[in-house]
Amino acid sequence: MGNLIKAEMRKIVTTKSWWALLIPAFFASLLFALGWGAFTNSLANVLDSEDTLTVTRTLGIETGELPMGLLAIGHGINVGLLFAVILGVLAVAGEYSKKTITTTFLTAPNRPMALGAKMITYSIWGALYGLAVSAAASLGIAFVVDGARMPSSGQWLAVIGTSLLAGVLATLFGVGVGALWKSVAGSVVTLSIYMLLIENVWVFISYGLWQENVAWMGGVLPNGTLNGIVGAIGAEAFGAAGVRIPGLQDEAVWGLQFSAGAPGAFSWWASALIFFGWTMVVFVGGWLVNQKRDIT
Amino acid sequence: MHDGSGRIAVQNLTKQFGTVPAVQNLSFAVEPGSVTGFLGPNGAGKTTTLRMLLGLVTPTSGAATINGRPYTQLGNPARVVGSVLENEGFHAKRTARNHLRVYAAAIGVPDQRVDEMLGLVGLASAADRPAGGYSLGMRQRLSLATALLGDPQVLVLDEPSNGLDPEGIAWLRGFLQSFAKQGRTVLVSSHLLSEVEQMIDQVVIVSAGMTRYYGPLEQLRASQQSRVLVQPADANALVTALREAGVGEVQPAHDGRVAVANANVQQIGDAAAKAGVAVYGMEEEKADLEQLFFQMTSPQYAGGPLPPQQPVPQQPVPQQPVPPQQQPPGPPQQPPGPPPGFQQGPQPGQPQNPYQAPGYQQPGQQGQQGWGGGQ
Ligand SMILES: Nc1ncnc2c1ncn2[C@@H]1O[C@H](COP(=O)(O)OP(=O)(O)O)[C@@H](O)[C@H]1O
Ligand SMILES: [Mg+2]
């Protein structure tokens, strides 16, 4: 297995995909953290003052010192992680499109080991992407969020940690999708449209239609749970995820979660678990399909 | 683990792609120490068979084993079997050296083996160019270098001469023959008999997914009747004379000559002399393997019985493939050691390494350098 992991590492570093995706990931996170940071910095005014008071009182923080930076950092990271998903897609689907999968399977003891080596290797790369995008998002909020509204160092560490975890899982999710559906273009386009648009629109519309009855929707779908891993840290700081603050209106809770890029998120670990479930679904599916697939 | 015999056994192998019967009940065995040609026209099922042998395609039924084991049970398979496949991919942006380094890592051979193989196939001077810019022939060389990384005991090649220049083909012939002489196994497919005729000892001929002939090439050659073309003064008189003397069988010939099968020049000359027929010339017509191959594989014979004089169509197979489980355990043969010079890297001082492939032609410069390896 060590040999195969070394081979996978060499595959990645001998082509430019890893940095061709890391650079846009970094800047997407930076830009979204900048934009969302500027927006959330003034979110307190948008929020119902009654809610704001409830939140601040319960959390014991002064008005105007809400850690708005947390909402933005989560959003920035979540956008950047889409590129980690794409990197993952290249792991197997990329090999099918270049036809190198033949030699990869021929030089591995068996297909499960070839895929297992990819899983381990891409986990490491996913963590690296998680680290890079959390650094980019941190940089972004540092520019636009008032010092008093920046996350505490504990919160910031939690964000970095969950970002690493989300990076790993996001990449593995991509590996699974690419293994299941060997088309790079098909997987990347579909995943991008789904994660950027379809699921968000659906969650938003369904919330508009059925309100809190479907508030959980974003907390169980793939994009929502991936975003929830980091986003819930921000939302939790406001009492909008995990520990529920009494009196906080449901709409406001959802709004806060939405601002953190994680509408409906339960808590970071619940999001991580559910998203891990999604990852396993596609990964096991991809695994099974590749066991039988004829390489012609 | 595998038995180290270097033996390939294909047993009742069948593959159906949807409604397309790509391979039907194919059986043959390939023994070490010889080069076996796997011949058949396009679409005969050669590639599908080889891919089933290599574990890339799952057979509908039947089994294919190497060293008594399916490919996926060989342990580190690339150390046992090297394969050069049609339509094999390289990442267009990855250099040849990096491509080989990737798979050297996967197989677990040291990186220096990469340089050795680049030198061996004559790609040393192009090693740091992206494979996307390679010509077809250079890609074939790179495929061969990849196949040889693990110093395998068995080599499987699918149409390896595609895209190779005549020099490259000649080199490949010599290479495969010396590889087999070391007691290793070579199975090489082609749709052209003439292309591999000079390098193979054994032959498996397939058409429309079925075996048409399987055995030594020599036997195939011997089985073909040779004819004598006679130029007589009076053709009718000669035919009558031959008939009366009971010599050979007269066959239709088109150019005024008389074609006589199953008789030699002496017998015909004697019969003609006895009957007083003048003979101006006789020519022995050699068995035309290509024509025989064409007959065996041409569509009108597909599926139907072959003409009676055909050598060994379906069953009279000289060597019956032994199912792996019936094979006597036998002392596991030592894997042959590295051939002399085979593992040696390109030595700057000796570019005339006998195993050295002629290098690809350097575009627009140092034309006579030509022989790769020596930088
Ligand atoms: N993946 C596939 N799907 C459907 N048909 C296939 C596939 N691969 C090969 N075939 C068919 O199987 C037959 C044998 O093909 P192949 O093994 O490539 O022949 P050869 O290598 O002798 O030219 C052909 O009719 C071909 O069209
Ligand atoms: Mg073919």
Side-chain angles (χ1 to χ4, degrees), chain B residues 23-58:
Chain B
V23 174
Q24 296 175 61
N25 203 27
L26 206 63
S27 296
F28 63 89
V30 179
E31 302 296 336
S34 66
V35 179
T36 300
F38 187 35
L39 296 169
N42 292 327
K46 303 181 297 294
T47 299
T48 306
T49 303
L50 296 184
R51 286 186 175 257
M52 286 194 276
L53 179 64
L54 297 169
L56 295 169
V57 168
T58 315

PDB file of all heavy atoms in Angstrom, chain B residues 23-58:
ATOM      1  N   VAL B  23     -15.532 -12.725 -27.758  1.00  0.00           N
ATOM      2  CA  VAL B  23     -14.676 -13.907 -27.647  1.00  0.00           C
ATOM      3  C   VAL B  23     -15.582 -15.089 -27.324  1.00  0.00           C
ATOM      4  O   VAL B  23     -16.451 -14.985 -26.466  1.00  0.00           O
ATOM      5  CB  VAL B  23     -13.626 -13.725 -26.525  1.00  0.00           C
ATOM      6  CG1 VAL B  23     -12.832 -14.998 -26.318  1.00  0.00           C
ATOM      7  CG2 VAL B  23     -12.694 -12.559 -26.841  1.00  0.00           C
ATOM      8  N   GLN B  24     -15.378 -16.196 -28.055  1.00  0.00           N
ATOM      9  CA  GLN B  24     -16.247 -17.348 -27.840  1.00  0.00           C
ATOM     10  C   GLN B  24     -15.449 -18.606 -27.557  1.00  0.00           C
ATOM     11  O   GLN B  24     -14.784 -19.129 -28.434  1.00  0.00           O
ATOM     12  CB  GLN B  24     -17.120 -17.586 -29.079  1.00  0.00           C
ATOM     13  CG  GLN B  24     -18.087 -16.457 -29.370  1.00  0.00           C
ATOM     14  CD  GLN B  24     -18.821 -16.710 -30.670  1.00  0.00           C
ATOM     15  OE1 GLN B  24     -19.522 -17.689 -30.813  1.00  0.00           O
ATOM     16  NE2 GLN B  24     -18.622 -15.823 -31.631  1.00  0.00           N
ATOM     17  N   ASN B  25     -15.506 -19.044 -26.329  1.00  0.00           N
ATOM     18  CA  ASN B  25     -14.976 -20.340 -25.948  1.00  0.00           C
ATOM     19  C   ASN B  25     -13.539 -20.561 -26.429  1.00  0.00           C
ATOM     20  O   ASN B  25     -13.213 -21.569 -27.019  1.00  0.00           O
ATOM     21  CB  ASN B  25     -15.894 -21.425 -26.516  1.00  0.00           C
ATOM     22  CG  ASN B  25     -15.757 -22.711 -25.731  1.00  0.00           C
ATOM     23  OD1 ASN B  25     -15.413 -22.658 -24.548  1.00  0.00           O
ATOM     24  ND2 ASN B  25     -16.011 -23.828 -26.368  1.00  0.00           N
ATOM     25  N   LEU B  26     -12.713 -19.610 -26.142  1.00  0.00           N
ATOM     26  CA  LEU B  26     -11.329 -19.629 -26.622  1.00  0.00           C
ATOM     27  C   LEU B  26     -10.452 -20.405 -25.634  1.00  0.00           C
ATOM     28  O   LEU B  26     -10.550 -20.206 -24.434  1.00  0.00           O
ATOM     29  CB  LEU B  26     -10.841 -18.186 -26.718  1.00  0.00           C
ATOM     30  CG  LEU B  26      -9.735 -17.859 -27.689  1.00  0.00           C
ATOM     31  CD1 LEU B  26     -10.196 -18.141 -29.100  1.00  0.00           C
ATOM     32  CD2 LEU B  26      -9.364 -16.387 -27.558  1.00  0.00           C
ATOM     33  N   SER B  27      -9.614 -21.294 -26.157  1.00  0.00           N
ATOM     34  CA  SER B  27      -8.670 -22.030 -25.305  1.00  0.00           C
ATOM     35  C   SER B  27      -7.320 -22.103 -25.980  1.00  0.00           C
ATOM     36  O   SER B  27      -7.233 -22.403 -27.167  1.00  0.00           O
ATOM     37  CB  SER B  27      -9.156 -23.461 -25.048  1.00  0.00           C
ATOM     38  OG  SER B  27     -10.357 -23.464 -24.339  1.00  0.00           O
ATOM     39  N   PHE B  28      -6.304 -21.805 -25.259  1.00  0.00           N
ATOM     40  CA  PHE B  28      -4.940 -22.041 -25.734  1.00  0.00           C
ATOM     41  C   PHE B  28      -3.991 -21.880 -24.559  1.00  0.00           C
ATOM     42  O   PHE B  28      -4.397 -21.409 -23.490  1.00  0.00           O
ATOM     43  CB  PHE B  28      -4.558 -21.102 -26.894  1.00  0.00           C
ATOM     44  CG  PHE B  28      -4.533 -19.636 -26.558  1.00  0.00           C
ATOM     45  CD1 PHE B  28      -3.379 -19.051 -26.067  1.00  0.00           C
ATOM     46  CD2 PHE B  28      -5.664 -18.843 -26.740  1.00  0.00           C
ATOM     47  CE1 PHE B  28      -3.353 -17.689 -25.769  1.00  0.00           C
ATOM     48  CE2 PHE B  28      -5.643 -17.488 -26.448  1.00  0.00           C
ATOM     49  CZ  PHE B  28      -4.487 -16.912 -25.955  1.00  0.00           C
ATOM     50  N   ALA B  29      -2.769 -22.315 -24.746  1.00  0.00           N
ATOM     51  CA  ALA B  29      -1.782 -22.144 -23.688  1.00  0.00           C
ATOM     52  C   ALA B  29      -0.513 -21.594 -24.319  1.00  0.00           C
ATOM     53  O   ALA B  29      -0.237 -21.836 -25.493  1.00  0.00           O
ATOM     54  CB  ALA B  29      -1.501 -23.470 -22.994  1.00  0.00           C
ATOM     55  N   VAL B  30       0.202 -20.837 -23.548  1.00  0.00           N
ATOM     56  CA  VAL B  30       1.462 -20.275 -24.028  1.00  0.00           C
ATOM     57  C   VAL B  30       2.551 -20.731 -23.074  1.00  0.00           C
ATOM     58  O   VAL B  30       2.440 -20.574 -21.862  1.00  0.00           O
ATOM     59  CB  VAL B  30       1.393 -18.733 -24.068  1.00  0.00           C
ATOM     60  CG1 VAL B  30       2.710 -18.161 -24.543  1.00  0.00           C
ATOM     61  CG2 VAL B  30       0.254 -18.277 -24.960  1.00  0.00           C
ATOM     62  N   GLU B  31       3.583 -21.339 -23.662  1.00  0.00           N
ATOM     63  CA  GLU B  31       4.648 -21.892 -22.842  1.00  0.00           C
ATOM     64  C   GLU B  31       5.823 -20.924 -22.767  1.00  0.00           C
ATOM     65  O   GLU B  31       6.056 -20.165 -23.701  1.00  0.00           O
ATOM     66  CB  GLU B  31       5.134 -23.215 -23.447  1.00  0.00           C
ATOM     67  CG  GLU B  31       4.045 -24.259 -23.606  1.00  0.00           C
ATOM     68  CD  GLU B  31       3.450 -24.709 -22.283  1.00  0.00           C
ATOM     69  OE1 GLU B  31       4.142 -24.584 -21.241  1.00  0.00           O
ATOM     70  OE2 GLU B  31       2.297 -25.183 -22.283  1.00  0.00           O
ATOM     71  N   PRO B  32       6.568 -20.961 -21.684  1.00  0.00           N
ATOM     72  CA  PRO B  32       7.746 -20.104 -21.593  1.00  0.00           C
ATOM     73  C   PRO B  32       8.814 -20.543 -22.600  1.00  0.00           C
ATOM     74  O   PRO B  32       8.778 -21.658 -23.102  1.00  0.00           O
ATOM     75  CB  PRO B  32       8.228 -20.294 -20.156  1.00  0.00           C
ATOM     76  CG  PRO B  32       7.631 -21.574 -19.707  1.00  0.00           C
ATOM     77  CD  PRO B  32       6.357 -21.741 -20.462  1.00  0.00           C
ATOM     78  N   GLY B  33       9.713 -19.639 -22.880  1.00  0.00           N
ATOM     79  CA  GLY B  33      10.816 -19.967 -23.772  1.00  0.00           C
ATOM     80  C   GLY B  33      10.493 -19.807 -25.235  1.00  0.00           C
ATOM     81  O   GLY B  33      11.307 -20.123 -26.090  1.00  0.00           O
ATOM     82  N   SER B  34       9.287 -19.330 -25.535  1.00  0.00           N
ATOM     83  CA  SER B  34       8.955 -19.136 -26.938  1.00  0.00           C
ATOM     84  C   SER B  34       8.152 -17.858 -27.111  1.00  0.00           C
ATOM     85  O   SER B  34       7.593 -17.333 -26.159  1.00  0.00           O
ATOM     86  CB  SER B  34       8.138 -20.320 -27.461  1.00  0.00           C
ATOM     87  OG  SER B  34       6.885 -20.344 -26.817  1.00  0.00           O
ATOM     88  N   VAL B  35       8.146 -17.397 -28.348  1.00  0.00           N
ATOM     89  CA  VAL B  35       7.311 -16.245 -28.670  1.00  0.00           C
ATOM     90  C   VAL B  35       6.070 -16.785 -29.353  1.00  0.00           C
ATOM     91  O   VAL B  35       6.163 -17.504 -30.346  1.00  0.00           O
ATOM     92  CB  VAL B  35       8.042 -15.267 -29.607  1.00  0.00           C
ATOM     93  CG1 VAL B  35       7.150 -14.087 -29.941  1.00  0.00           C
ATOM     94  CG2 VAL B  35       9.347 -14.785 -28.976  1.00  0.00           C
ATOM     95  N   THR B  36       4.925 -16.487 -28.785  1.00  0.00           N
ATOM     96  CA  THR B  36       3.679 -16.964 -29.367  1.00  0.00           C
ATOM     97  C   THR B  36       2.957 -15.802 -30.024  1.00  0.00           C
ATOM     98  O   THR B  36       2.765 -14.752 -29.411  1.00  0.00           O
ATOM     99  CB  THR B  36       2.790 -17.599 -28.278  1.00  0.00           C
ATOM    100  OG1 THR B  36       3.489 -18.698 -27.703  1.00  0.00           O
ATOM    101  CG2 THR B  36       1.470 -18.083 -28.870  1.00  0.00           C
ATOM    102  N   GLY B  37       2.588 -16.003 -31.271  1.00  0.00           N
ATOM    103  CA  GLY B  37       1.835 -14.978 -31.988  1.00  0.00           C
ATOM    104  C   GLY B  37       0.353 -15.221 -31.783  1.00  0.00           C
ATOM    105  O   GLY B  37      -0.113 -16.361 -31.802  1.00  0.00           O
ATOM    106  N   PHE B  38      -0.371 -14.144 -31.573  1.00  0.00           N
ATOM    107  CA  PHE B  38      -1.814 -14.234 -31.375  1.00  0.00           C
ATOM    108  C   PHE B  38      -2.428 -13.454 -32.533  1.00  0.00           C
ATOM    109  O   PHE B  38      -2.435 -12.231 -32.541  1.00  0.00           O
ATOM    110  CB  PHE B  38      -2.153 -13.615 -30.015  1.00  0.00           C
ATOM    111  CG  PHE B  38      -3.583 -13.787 -29.591  1.00  0.00           C
ATOM    112  CD1 PHE B  38      -4.295 -14.932 -29.912  1.00  0.00           C
ATOM    113  CD2 PHE B  38      -4.208 -12.801 -28.838  1.00  0.00           C
ATOM    114  CE1 PHE B  38      -5.607 -15.093 -29.501  1.00  0.00           C
ATOM    115  CE2 PHE B  38      -5.521 -12.952 -28.415  1.00  0.00           C
ATOM    116  CZ  PHE B  38      -6.224 -14.092 -28.749  1.00  0.00           C
ATOM    117  N   LEU B  39      -2.867 -14.200 -33.543  1.00  0.00           N
ATOM    118  CA  LEU B  39      -3.213 -13.563 -34.808  1.00  0.00           C
ATOM    119  C   LEU B  39      -4.688 -13.636 -35.125  1.00  0.00           C
ATOM    120  O   LEU B  39      -5.364 -14.615 -34.812  1.00  0.00           O
ATOM    121  CB  LEU B  39      -2.443 -14.245 -35.946  1.00  0.00           C
ATOM    122  CG  LEU B  39      -0.923 -14.108 -35.868  1.00  0.00           C
ATOM    123  CD1 LEU B  39      -0.271 -15.035 -36.870  1.00  0.00           C
ATOM    124  CD2 LEU B  39      -0.527 -12.673 -36.130  1.00  0.00           C
ATOM    125  N   GLY B  40      -5.145 -12.604 -35.768  1.00  0.00           N
ATOM    126  CA  GLY B  40      -6.528 -12.573 -36.210  1.00  0.00           C
ATOM    127  C   GLY B  40      -6.818 -11.208 -36.785  1.00  0.00           C
ATOM    128  O   GLY B  40      -6.135 -10.246 -36.452  1.00  0.00           O
ATOM    129  N   PRO B  41      -7.819 -11.133 -37.650  1.00  0.00           N
ATOM    130  CA  PRO B  41      -8.133  -9.835 -38.255  1.00  0.00           C
ATOM    131  C   PRO B  41      -8.715  -8.865 -37.221  1.00  0.00           C
ATOM    132  O   PRO B  41      -8.989  -9.256 -36.086  1.00  0.00           O
ATOM    133  CB  PRO B  41      -9.175 -10.184 -39.319  1.00  0.00           C
ATOM    134  CG  PRO B  41      -9.756 -11.488 -38.899  1.00  0.00           C
ATOM    135  CD  PRO B  41      -8.711 -12.205 -38.115  1.00  0.00           C
ATOM    136  N   ASN B  42      -8.898  -7.640 -37.612  1.00  0.00           N
ATOM    137  CA  ASN B  42      -9.490  -6.647 -36.727  1.00  0.00           C
ATOM    138  C   ASN B  42     -10.841  -7.133 -36.219  1.00  0.00           C
ATOM    139  O   ASN B  42     -11.630  -7.679 -36.983  1.00  0.00           O
ATOM    140  CB  ASN B  42      -9.708  -5.323 -37.466  1.00  0.00           C
ATOM    141  CG  ASN B  42      -8.398  -4.656 -37.810  1.00  0.00           C
ATOM    142  OD1 ASN B  42      -7.442  -4.778 -37.063  1.00  0.00           O
ATOM    143  ND2 ASN B  42      -8.353  -3.992 -38.937  1.00  0.00           N
ATOM    144  N   GLY B  43     -11.063  -6.952 -34.955  1.00  0.00           N
ATOM    145  CA  GLY B  43     -12.352  -7.332 -34.382  1.00  0.00           C
ATOM    146  C   GLY B  43     -12.464  -8.812 -34.057  1.00  0.00           C
ATOM    147  O   GLY B  43     -13.528  -9.294 -33.680  1.00  0.00           O
ATOM    148  N   ALA B  44     -11.347  -9.552 -34.187  1.00  0.00           N
ATOM    149  CA  ALA B  44     -11.393 -10.994 -33.934  1.00  0.00           C
ATOM    150  C   ALA B  44     -11.516 -11.311 -32.446  1.00  0.00           C
ATOM    151  O   ALA B  44     -11.869 -12.423 -32.071  1.00  0.00           O
ATOM    152  CB  ALA B  44     -10.136 -11.658 -34.488  1.00  0.00           C
ATOM    153  N   GLY B  45     -11.201 -10.349 -31.595  1.00  0.00           N
ATOM    154  CA  GLY B  45     -11.296 -10.580 -30.158  1.00  0.00           C
ATOM    155  C   GLY B  45      -9.946 -10.671 -29.468  1.00  0.00           C
ATOM    156  O   GLY B  45      -9.869 -11.079 -28.311  1.00  0.00           O
ATOM    157  N   LYS B  46      -8.889 -10.271 -30.144  1.00  0.00           N
ATOM    158  CA  LYS B  46      -7.544 -10.365 -29.565  1.00  0.00           C
ATOM    159  C   LYS B  46      -7.396  -9.447 -28.345  1.00  0.00           C
ATOM    160  O   LYS B  46      -6.981  -9.876 -27.265  1.00  0.00           O
ATOM    161  CB  LYS B  46      -6.477  -9.982 -30.605  1.00  0.00           C
ATOM    162  CG  LYS B  46      -6.528 -10.807 -31.877  1.00  0.00           C
ATOM    163  CD  LYS B  46      -5.441 -10.399 -32.857  1.00  0.00           C
ATOM    164  CE  LYS B  46      -5.563  -8.969 -33.356  1.00  0.00           C
ATOM    165  NZ  LYS B  46      -6.752  -8.719 -34.178  1.00  0.00           N
ATOM    166  N   THR B  47      -7.741  -8.180 -28.545  1.00  0.00           N
ATOM    167  CA  THR B  47      -7.589  -7.218 -27.458  1.00  0.00           C
ATOM    168  C   THR B  47      -8.443  -7.624 -26.256  1.00  0.00           C
ATOM    169  O   THR B  47      -7.983  -7.587 -25.112  1.00  0.00           O
ATOM    170  CB  THR B  47      -7.984  -5.807 -27.951  1.00  0.00           C
ATOM    171  OG1 THR B  47      -7.105  -5.450 -29.016  1.00  0.00           O
ATOM    172  CG2 THR B  47      -7.875  -4.789 -26.842  1.00  0.00           C
ATOM    173  N   THR B  48      -9.657  -8.041 -26.534  1.00  0.00           N
ATOM    174  CA  THR B  48     -10.550  -8.442 -25.442  1.00  0.00           C
ATOM    175  C   THR B  48      -9.950  -9.625 -24.683  1.00  0.00           C
ATOM    176  O   THR B  48      -9.960  -9.653 -23.450  1.00  0.00           O
ATOM    177  CB  THR B  48     -11.933  -8.803 -26.009  1.00  0.00           C
ATOM    178  OG1 THR B  48     -12.402  -7.708 -26.800  1.00  0.00           O
ATOM    179  CG2 THR B  48     -12.921  -9.098 -24.910  1.00  0.00           C
ATOM    180  N   THR B  49      -9.407 -10.590 -25.402  1.00  0.00           N
ATOM    181  CA  THR B  49      -8.796 -11.755 -24.761  1.00  0.00           C
ATOM    182  C   THR B  49      -7.619 -11.328 -23.869  1.00  0.00           C
ATOM    183  O   THR B  49      -7.517 -11.743 -22.715  1.00  0.00           O
ATOM    184  CB  THR B  49      -8.290 -12.749 -25.835  1.00  0.00           C
ATOM    185  OG1 THR B  49      -9.385 -13.114 -26.657  1.00  0.00           O
ATOM    186  CG2 THR B  49      -7.686 -13.984 -25.193  1.00  0.00           C
ATOM    187  N   LEU B  50      -6.754 -10.481 -24.418  1.00  0.00           N
ATOM    188  CA  LEU B  50      -5.577 -10.066 -23.649  1.00  0.00           C
ATOM    189  C   LEU B  50      -6.009  -9.260 -22.418  1.00  0.00           C
ATOM    190  O   LEU B  50      -5.428  -9.401 -21.342  1.00  0.00           O
ATOM    191  CB  LEU B  50      -4.621  -9.247 -24.523  1.00  0.00           C
ATOM    192  CG  LEU B  50      -4.005 -10.014 -25.699  1.00  0.00           C
ATOM    193  CD1 LEU B  50      -3.009  -9.155 -26.457  1.00  0.00           C
ATOM    194  CD2 LEU B  50      -3.325 -11.298 -25.210  1.00  0.00           C
ATOM    195  N   ARG B  51      -7.035  -8.439 -22.572  1.00  0.00           N
ATOM    196  CA  ARG B  51      -7.500  -7.648 -21.427  1.00  0.00           C
ATOM    197  C   ARG B  51      -8.149  -8.527 -20.359  1.00  0.00           C
ATOM    198  O   ARG B  51      -8.080  -8.212 -19.178  1.00  0.00           O
ATOM    199  CB  ARG B  51      -8.420  -6.521 -21.882  1.00  0.00           C
ATOM    200  CG  ARG B  51      -7.611  -5.400 -22.547  1.00  0.00           C
ATOM    201  CD  ARG B  51      -8.428  -4.179 -22.895  1.00  0.00           C
ATOM    202  NE  ARG B  51      -7.569  -3.128 -23.419  1.00  0.00           N
ATOM    203  CZ  ARG B  51      -7.180  -2.050 -22.722  1.00  0.00           C
ATOM    204  NH1 ARG B  51      -7.614  -1.865 -21.500  1.00  0.00           N
ATOM    205  NH2 ARG B  51      -6.367  -1.173 -23.252  1.00  0.00           N
ATOM    206  N   MET B  52      -8.769  -9.618 -20.791  1.00  0.00           N
ATOM    207  CA  MET B  52      -9.306 -10.559 -19.799  1.00  0.00           C
ATOM    208  C   MET B  52      -8.153 -11.245 -19.073  1.00  0.00           C
ATOM    209  O   MET B  52      -8.196 -11.429 -17.858  1.00  0.00           O
ATOM    210  CB  MET B  52     -10.214 -11.586 -20.470  1.00  0.00           C
ATOM    211  CG  MET B  52     -11.563 -11.011 -20.873  1.00  0.00           C
ATOM    212  SD  MET B  52     -12.771 -12.283 -21.292  1.00  0.00           S
ATOM    213  CE  MET B  52     -12.353 -12.595 -22.987  1.00  0.00           C
ATOM    214  N   LEU B  53      -7.113 -11.593 -19.837  1.00  0.00           N
ATOM    215  CA  LEU B  53      -5.934 -12.219 -19.244  1.00  0.00           C
ATOM    216  C   LEU B  53      -5.312 -11.304 -18.187  1.00  0.00           C
ATOM    217  O   LEU B  53      -4.793 -11.758 -17.166  1.00  0.00           O
ATOM    218  CB  LEU B  53      -4.926 -12.521 -20.359  1.00  0.00           C
ATOM    219  CG  LEU B  53      -3.600 -13.164 -19.979  1.00  0.00           C
ATOM    220  CD1 LEU B  53      -3.831 -14.549 -19.405  1.00  0.00           C
ATOM    221  CD2 LEU B  53      -2.694 -13.252 -21.202  1.00  0.00           C
ATOM    222  N   LEU B  54      -5.387 -10.002 -18.425  1.00  0.00           N
ATOM    223  CA  LEU B  54      -4.745  -9.038 -17.535  1.00  0.00           C
ATOM    224  C   LEU B  54      -5.701  -8.494 -16.465  1.00  0.00           C
ATOM    225  O   LEU B  54      -5.378  -7.528 -15.770  1.00  0.00           O
ATOM    226  CB  LEU B  54      -4.170  -7.873 -18.357  1.00  0.00           C
ATOM    227  CG  LEU B  54      -3.071  -8.291 -19.337  1.00  0.00           C
ATOM    228  CD1 LEU B  54      -2.734  -7.170 -20.294  1.00  0.00           C
ATOM    229  CD2 LEU B  54      -1.823  -8.742 -18.581  1.00  0.00           C
ATOM    230  N   GLY B  55      -6.856  -9.096 -16.360  1.00  0.00           N
ATOM    231  CA  GLY B  55      -7.774  -8.702 -15.297  1.00  0.00           C
ATOM    232  C   GLY B  55      -8.459  -7.368 -15.529  1.00  0.00           C
ATOM    233  O   GLY B  55      -9.046  -6.809 -14.603  1.00  0.00           O
ATOM    234  N   LEU B  56      -8.388  -6.851 -16.750  1.00  0.00           N
ATOM    235  CA  LEU B  56      -9.022  -5.548 -17.012  1.00  0.00           C
ATOM    236  C   LEU B  56     -10.470  -5.712 -17.456  1.00  0.00           C
ATOM    237  O   LEU B  56     -11.278  -4.811 -17.297  1.00  0.00           O
ATOM    238  CB  LEU B  56      -8.234  -4.787 -18.090  1.00  0.00           C
ATOM    239  CG  LEU B  56      -6.813  -4.395 -17.691  1.00  0.00           C
ATOM    240  CD1 LEU B  56      -6.037  -3.897 -18.903  1.00  0.00           C
ATOM    241  CD2 LEU B  56      -6.839  -3.328 -16.609  1.00  0.00           C
ATOM    242  N   VAL B  57     -10.761  -6.868 -18.041  1.00  0.00           N
ATOM    243  CA  VAL B  57     -12.119  -7.160 -18.482  1.00  0.00           C
ATOM    244  C   VAL B  57     -12.541  -8.456 -17.798  1.00  0.00           C
ATOM    245  O   VAL B  57     -11.761  -9.408 -17.731  1.00  0.00           O
ATOM    246  CB  VAL B  57     -12.168  -7.302 -20.028  1.00  0.00           C
ATOM    247  CG1 VAL B  57     -13.483  -7.897 -20.488  1.00  0.00           C
ATOM    248  CG2 VAL B  57     -11.916  -5.961 -20.699  1.00  0.00           C
ATOM    249  N   THR B  58     -13.737  -8.459 -17.259  1.00  0.00           N
ATOM    250  CA  THR B  58     -14.231  -9.655 -16.576  1.00  0.00           C
ATOM    251  C   THR B  58     -14.854 -10.590 -17.604  1.00  0.00           C
ATOM    252  O   THR B  58     -15.745 -10.190 -18.341  1.00  0.00           O
ATOM    253  CB  THR B  58     -15.312  -9.267 -15.547  1.00  0.00           C
ATOM    254  OG1 THR B  58     -14.836  -8.136 -14.823  1.00  0.00           O
ATOM    255  CG2 THR B  58     -15.587 -10.408 -14.597  1.00  0.00           C
TER     256      THR B  58
END
